[in-house]
Amino acid sequence: MIKLKAGDKVKITSGKDKGREGQIERIFPDKKMALIPGLNIYKKHLKGMPNQKGGIYDIPKPFDFSKIALICPKCGKVTRVSFSNLKGTGEKIRICAKCKKEIDTGKSVKTKKIK
């Protein structure tokens, strides 16, 4: 299970944007990367085409999971994530390692099993 999800508030721990905070827009689980808009911006030079105007564009590049840390919504501290099973349902939930409170309160997404 991935410890980070889209919508989580994170802090950058290394690189040119070290110390800045942002919210995850998209996760790439196969590459273990997360896209955070407004951070890790690079310039891309594009040649003009019939359906696209040429020029220099700013594009955000994704961060590796090792370079970002989750900010707990309850205590507001940078923390690691641990997991626990809910009693009765057996559903796995994320827990803040510092304040021991549930991170995903009210956002439980139920998935259907396809046969």
Side-chain angles (χ1 to χ4, degrees), residues 28-41:
F28 303 100
D30 54 334
K31 295 180 182 179
K32 295 190 168 131
M33 297 185 115
L35 184 67
I36 303 167
L39 299 177
N40 208 21
I41 301 292

Side-chain angles (χ1 to χ4, degrees), residues 1-89:
M1 184 175 218
I2 297 175
K3 295 184 178 187
L4 299 170
K5 292 184 179 180
D8 284 347
K9 191 174 180 184
V10 293
K11 187 171 190 173
I12 310 305
T13 57
S14 67
K16 69 177 190 176
D17 290 318
K18 182 178 179 178
R20 295 180 68 191
E21 297 178 1
Q23 198 166 13
I24 295 177
E25 182 180 280
R26 189 170 174 200
I27 295 281
F28 303 100
D30 54 334
K31 295 180 182 179
K32 295 190 168 131
M33 297 185 115
L35 184 67
I36 303 167
L39 299 177
N40 208 21
I41 301 292
Y42 284 89
K43 303 273 186 188
K44 179 144 180 114
H45 297 253
L46 291 175
K47 188 176 181 180
M49 296 191 163
N51 59 352
Q52 183 178 2
K53 191 177 177 185
I56 303 170
Y57 293 95
D58 291 334
I59 50 169
K61 290 191 176 182
F63 282 99
D64 194 67
F65 284 167
S66 63
K67 295 185 180 199
I68 56 179
L70 180 72
I71 297 174
C72 177
K74 306 288 185 205
C75 61
K77 297 178 184 174
V78 175
T79 184
R80 295 181 313 276
V81 177
S82 60
F83 293 99
S84 177
N85 290 326
L86 282 176
K87 294 177 183 173
T89 61

